Amino acid sequence: MSVDVNVILEDLKSNKSQRTKDSLDKLNTLLEARFNAGEKDYSIAAIGRVSKAEGGVGTVSIRNKTGEHFRLLIDA
């Protein structure tokens, strides 16, 4: 079964602040680049570290209770 990440992304962005929408877009771009490069490590620690280095959300923001939308995007 194929998963359309863009549909999931749009669903996650609904009813969110512009800042959260921008963060989700940055995270999605990062995840797409890692997928296309054949990366295998999608742990919260690895994604958070790379994301923060590129000006996106960090590990703590992803792990927080309020970061569920980030975790769902990583899982997708």
Side-chain angles (χ1 to χ4, degrees), residues 40-59:
K40 303 287 187 214
D41 187 1
Y42 289 91
S43 66
I44 291 172
I47 298 300
R49 185 174 48 253
V50 174
S51 176
K52 185 158 183 115
E54 295 183 7
V57 294
T59 304

Side-chain angles (χ1 to χ4, degrees), residues 15-39:
N15 300 321
K16 298 287 191 279
S17 69
Q18 188 59 47
R19 183 176 176 185
T20 301
K21 289 177 184 180
D22 292 344
S23 294
L24 284 165
D25 285 334
K26 279 184 182 180
L27 183 60
N28 186 55
T29 301
L30 168 75
L31 292 169
E32 281 181 4
R34 287 180 66 84
F35 179 79
N36 291 334
E39 293 286 340

